[in-house]
Amino acid sequence: MRISALLLLAFSSVSVAKTASIASPNGNITISLSDELSTPSYSINFKNKTVIDNSALGFAFKQQAPFSEGFKITNTQQQSVNSQWQQPWGERTTVTDHHNEIAVTFSKADPHGGTYTVRVRAFNNGVGFRYEVPAQAGFENIAITKELTEFAIAGADNATAWWIPARGWNRYEYVYNTTPLQDAALVHTPFTFKNQDGVHLSIHEAALVDYAGMVLNQRRPGVFQADLTPWSDGIAVKKHGAFNTPWRTIQIAEKAVDLINSDIILNLNEPNKLGDVSWVKPGKYVGIWWGMHINTHTWGSGEKHGATTEHTKYYMDFAAEYGFDGVLVEGWNTGWDGDWFFNGDVFSFTQAYDDFDIDALAKYGKQHGVQLIGHHETSGNVTNYRNQMADAFALYEKSNVSQVKTGYVADGGNIKRIDQQGIARHEWHDSQFMVNEYLYNVTLAAKHKISINTHEPIKDTGLRRTYPNWITREGARGQEFNAWGTPPNPPEHIAMLAFTRMLAGPMDFTPGIFDLSFNGLGAETNRPQTTLAKQLALYVVLYSPIQMAADLPKNYLAKPDAFQFIQDVPTDWQQSIALDGEVGDFIVFARKERKRDKYTGNDWYLGAVTDEHARTIEVKLDFLEPGKQFEAHIYQDGKHAEWKNKPYDLNIEKRLVTANDKLTLKLATSGGTAIRFKAI
Ligand code: NOJ
Ligand code: CA
């Protein structure tokens, strides 16, 4: 009798199908979770139209039965948040976090079958959801073989997507493709696309910690499956006890620029865990770098060695004179001779080449108010780096270095780690192993008050909020591809990055190449495929709290008028607005300066870039404070400018403007406009 009563209870709880929904504060977006299909699922509506069809939720494990069939909604809980928080540095000082949340618990009738919660946050411009798996009997050791999360795109037939391939040898460093959505097979996030109704969406993730990176696999037309990058043993994620996944994010916007004018990724990250981070300093830098990429210098020792004491002093003098904060020096440490791409296990991170005197340079820098910026290239030999990391940061701290650029040059899937048995394993840059390795590096650096600029990184998922010393990173094709890439970055590259890679966070693109024909060959060879004005506009368009002036000092000295803009432009902002643009075509930004260590500053800046098409863009200046006068310093493509044959034709003019004015920007082919609005 007792037994049958229990069974009845269980039966009734599994037989009642349920849907739980939550809407965004403005009501435009609704996300619904359901147990009505054979597996738990979700769907999303935008303005009463489905944008994500029923899509599966759940996991498959190596040992336990999957979290899929037989799970029913057993609890829901809601809350609303409307709060603000401040960034120590960023695109804007104050970030608003306004969302409605629902936490939906799914459980199996069988008490040992498992339980998990999907926490969903609906913002006005998108949603985020994550899995929360509590500690429970039978799930002490978990090996996730697959996350079952799907993204079923509604109206995929006539959708257009902008994407780079995942699991490739070149990590995130690919030219972006524009294709029908159905041709995007296995892609990285942020994955941006426009559906048949012209709605722009972008799928990404936030707070990727101790978990595998997610790429998207189009398994059936329009249906993308979360595909977790595995360890070398094939397991996707290893966990012990309770855990939360990263947030799966779907940004939704009518206008392309509203994908950019969104703080979802940051809002879904945890607050700052480092306490006082006044030692993390935005700024501008120069460095012994471009010369190696265009072969005037070498990383390795010998006649053309770039990282000599003398050469560094020359850069420090230049930096001091023109207001740069730091000098990056690559190739200062032993290990670069021979084929450093493949022999990274011989890198020393403390032993300098004989012609590089780190103590003398630390002192020289101090006298001149310029810091040395450190460099740790690992060539993907992460155990070699891990073994030396503490000493390496201690040496840099002692040498007054507060920023280190790291590098993980290695083919995708070919990061070399030596396991506890001494066996070499080969891992992906976006595996759980490497996600942890990158964060270990950043948190150890924090103990030495050092900020990290990661090259060949894991993609950005907004962890700068939690660890503000993770100051910037690469994670896309940067300027270096214009020196030696096949092909170099195409004219549309920047207008593509703005709506894809840059949705993730800051990028160390290294703008500002002034000598656009360094190899003396024609337009179709390696060179930045831009005008000079566009190189200036990059400082406003591509956000990074540290920006390099990447060219050789002599090339800046040869064009002092254009160089003035690089001297003036800040790297930290009180506010940023993407004003106008279309993915891969053009983008216009306005940003308001934020002076160092203060929340003040009155100048505004504008940056606009176009693809291979020349274009005229009208910009209303209504972002400026009304009633105030500004002296606009305008750097724009000249009358005859076009990127191939007349890239240097640049017009610089000054004129008074107010918020009531409109400007007509004339951009040449692959051209740009950069403006400083100086408050007067
Ligand atoms: C690749 C980085 O992106 C580049 O900036 C650096 O110069 C080389 N690796 C060498 O570390
Ligand atoms: Ca790189």
Side-chain angles (χ1 to χ4, degrees):
M1 187 64 212
R2 230 184 122 200
I3 289 173
S4 65
L6 262 180
L7 276 178
L8 193 71
L9 247 183
F11 182 69
S12 71
S13 87
V14 295
S15 66
V16 180
K18 270 193 238 149
T19 298
S21 300
I22 191 87
S24 59
N26 66 3
N28 285 347
I29 297 173
T30 306
I31 174 165
S32 303
L33 280 72
S34 161
D35 63 10
E36 283 169 311
L37 302 177
S38 62
T39 68
S41 65
Y42 76 97
S43 62
I44 302 178
N45 272 15
F46 176 62
K47 297 201 168 167
N48 299 320
K49 266 197 150 175
T50 305
V51 289
I52 302 286
D53 269 321
N54 282 322
S55 301
L57 294 166
F59 299 97
F61 306 106
K62 187 171 178 197
Q63 261 121 28
Q64 299 86 349
F67 282 1
S68 59
E69 272 136 59
F71 279 77
K72 296 289 162 191
I73 295 175
T74 49
N75 194 26
T76 64
Q77 246 183 333
Q78 292 193 25
Q79 65 162 335
S80 294
V81 169
N82 190 0
S83 64
Q84 296 195 320
W85 55 278
Q86 294 212 314
Q87 303 202 76
W89 50 264
E91 300 98 314
R92 59 186 55 79
T93 308
T94 304
V95 177
T96 299
D97 181 356
H98 192 192
H99 67 259
N100 293 329
E101 177 182 292
I102 189 165
V104 181
T105 301
F106 292 92
S107 314
K108 245 188 175 168
D110 163 8
H112 299 298
T115 180
Y116 66 96
T117 295
V118 181
R119 188 174 302 277
V120 182
R121 291 190 182 155
F123 299 81
N124 287 339
N125 45 23
V127 304
F129 64 86
R130 74 172 180 199
Y131 300 92
E132 300 178 354
V133 178
Q136 52 194 304
F139 290 85
E140 291 78 11
N141 291 308
I142 300 175
I144 300 174
T145 52
K146 213 172 182 185
E147 188 177 306
L148 303 177
T149 313
E150 285 177 344
F151 304 87
I153 314 305
D157 286 357
N158 292 310
T160 303
W162 299 276
W163 55 274
I164 51 171
R167 304 279 159 71
W169 68 275
N170 222 355
R171 307 162 306 269
Y172 300 101
E173 298 174 22
Y174 288 94
V175 173
Y176 275 83
N177 295 292
T178 304
T179 69
L181 180 122
Q182 298 200 348
D183 294 345
L186 186 71
V187 297
H188 275 304
T189 74
F191 173 56
T192 301
F193 57 96
K194 181 162 86 169
N195 74 12
Q196 60 185 16
D197 300 319
V199 177
H200 292 80
L201 296 100
S202 190
I203 302 174
H204 188 43
E205 56 184 313
L208 170 55
V209 177
D210 194 18
Y211 201 82
M214 173 183 77
V215 307
L216 300 173
N217 184 354
Q218 189 165 197
R219 298 278 297 170
R220 277 173 280 126
V223 181
F224 289 82
Q225 203 165 63
D227 189 323
L228 302 178
T229 298
W231 288 73
S232 49
D233 63 7
I235 299 299
V237 176
K238 304 174 185 184
K239 286 285 178 187
H240 304 285
F243 70 94
N244 298 337
T245 68
W247 295 89
R248 278 66 190 89
T249 60
I250 302 155
Q251 288 183 232
I252 307 169
E254 232 135 20
K255 286 197 295 185
V257 285
D258 288 330
L259 292 177
I260 300 169
N261 296 320
S262 160
D263 296 310
I264 284 192
I265 302 295
L266 285 173
N267 276 326
L268 290 170
N269 274 271
E270 300 294 320
N272 172 11
K273 284 192 178 158
L274 299 181
D276 173 22
V277 285
S278 53
W279 48 272
V280 178
K281 294 230 172 11
K284 282 176 287 191
Y285 71 102
V286 290
I288 298 176
W289 180 76
W290 185 240
M292 275 85 92
H293 289 270
I294 59 170
N295 294 321
T296 61
H297 290 87
T298 56
W299 282 280
S301 61
E303 242 168 53
K304 293 202 311 186
H305 188 209
T308 66
T309 308
E310 209 183 331
H311 198 200
T312 308
K313 282 186 176 167
Y314 164 76
Y315 268 85
M316 284 181 159
D317 292 344
F318 178 79
E321 180 155 0
Y322 294 100
F324 293 91
D325 307 277
V327 174
L328 166 71
V329 183
E330 296 196 2
W332 66 276
N333 57 317
T334 60
W336 290 92
D337 298 314
D339 195 345
W340 59 266
F341 191 105
F342 291 105
N343 300 327
D345 36 9
V346 303
F347 275 124
S348 164
F349 296 93
T350 50
Q351 172 78 46
Y353 279 118
D354 286 346
D355 51 359
F356 185 81
D357 186 339
I358 190 165
D359 292 338
L361 287 166
K363 211 162 139 201
Y364 193 81
K366 225 172 192 164
Q367 281 161 2
H368 292 77
V370 179
Q371 279 188 320
L372 206 54
I373 296 178
H375 185 232
H376 291 161
E377 175 58 63
T378 66
S379 292
N381 286 259
V382 293
T383 305
N384 178 47
Y385 184 32
R386 179 67 100 107
N387 292 340
Q388 302 179 56
M389 207 185 285
D391 292 344
F393 283 137
L395 169 67
Y396 270 147
E397 187 178 8
K398 188 179 98 188
S399 311
N400 199 30
V401 168
S402 67
Q403 238 177 65
V404 173
K405 170 177 169 180
T406 58
Y408 297 80
V409 169
D411 280 8
N414 214 24
I415 288 274
K416 190 168 152 195
R417 83 177 155 99
I418 310 296
D419 74 6
Q420 278 164 349
Q421 284 77 45
I423 300 169
R425 306 286 177 195
H426 293 91
E427 309 291 351
W428 290 95
H429 287 73
D430 54 352
S431 61
Q432 182 187 15
F433 166 75
M434 276 308 288
V435 163
N436 290 344
E437 203 60 25
Y438 287 114
L439 190 55
Y440 177 85
N441 177 255
V442 167
T443 50
L444 185 62
K447 297 196 172 123
H448 297 269
K449 295 196 168 36
I450 286 174
S451 299
I452 295 293
N453 165 10
T454 316
H455 276 234
E456 296 75 53
I458 177 65
K459 64 184 169 183
D460 198 340
T461 58
L463 286 171
R464 62 187 155 130
R465 178 174 178 190
T466 317
Y467 305 99
N469 71 320
W470 204 342
I471 196 155
T472 194
R473 79 187 74 198
E474 191 187 37
R477 274 174 150 242
Q479 186 88 270
E480 62 187 19
F481 276 80
N482 298 327
W484 43 254
T486 314
N489 298 328
E492 69 174 10
H493 188 57
I494 306 300
M496 200 62 91
L497 289 179
F499 297 94
T500 53
R501 158 68 183 83
M502 300 307 291
L503 300 182
M507 175 174 178
D508 187 39
F509 181 84
T510 64
I513 297 303
F514 273 30
D515 177 3
L516 297 165
S517 48
F518 44 81
N519 62 13
L521 302 171
E524 308 300 337
T525 66
N526 275 110
R527 55 158 280 200
Q529 299 195 337
T530 73
T531 65
L532 180 60
K534 185 171 177 178
Q535 287 293 318
L536 298 180
L538 299 184
Y539 288 91
V540 184
V541 168
L542 296 175
Y543 171 63
S544 177
I546 55 165
Q547 291 277 23
M548 187 176 205
D551 209 341
L552 311 177
K554 66 171 189 198
N555 295 328
Y556 293 126
L557 297 176
K559 295 189 176 65
D561 296 344
F563 185 42
Q564 187 61 48
F565 184 79
I566 299 182
Q567 292 170 63
D568 291 341
V569 70
T571 62
D572 195 20
W573 309 100
Q574 293 178 62
Q575 188 54 273
S576 297
I577 313 163
L579 295 171
D580 196 5
E582 292 295 343
V583 186
D585 297 343
F586 73 103
I587 175 74
V588 186
F589 271 99
R591 303 190 196 266
K592 187 177 186 184
E593 71 169 335
R594 172 170 159 183
K595 289 225 164 76
R596 193 81 54 82
D597 297 331
K598 298 185 203 116
Y599 294 154
T600 61
N602 299 314
D603 293 359
W604 282 82
Y605 284 78
L606 180 144
V609 300
T610 180
D611 60 3
E612 68 277 17
H613 300 294
R615 106 183 43 233
T616 302
I617 306 170
E618 292 260 307
V619 180
K620 281 195 208 145
L621 302 185
D622 53 7
F623 52 85
L624 298 173
E625 288 78 12
K628 266 192 167 179
Q629 277 217 322
F630 293 83
E631 184 182 63
H633 303 182
I634 305 172
Y635 302 72
Q636 65 177 323
D637 295 317
K639 216 172 166 182
H640 304 290
E642 47 100 3
W643 78 263
K644 282 190 187 169
N645 299 304
K646 286 259 183 287
Y648 300 116
D649 185 8
L650 173 74
N651 255 344
I652 306 177
E653 62 167 304
K654 288 188 182 166
R655 75 164 107 136
L656 292 181
V657 297
T658 70
N660 296 328
D661 288 317
K662 260 193 216 154
L663 286 183
T664 304
L665 314 180
K666 292 215 159 109
L667 279 61
T669 60
S670 198
T673 304
I675 306 177
R676 173 185 185 189
F677 296 96
K678 190 171 177 223
I680 52 175

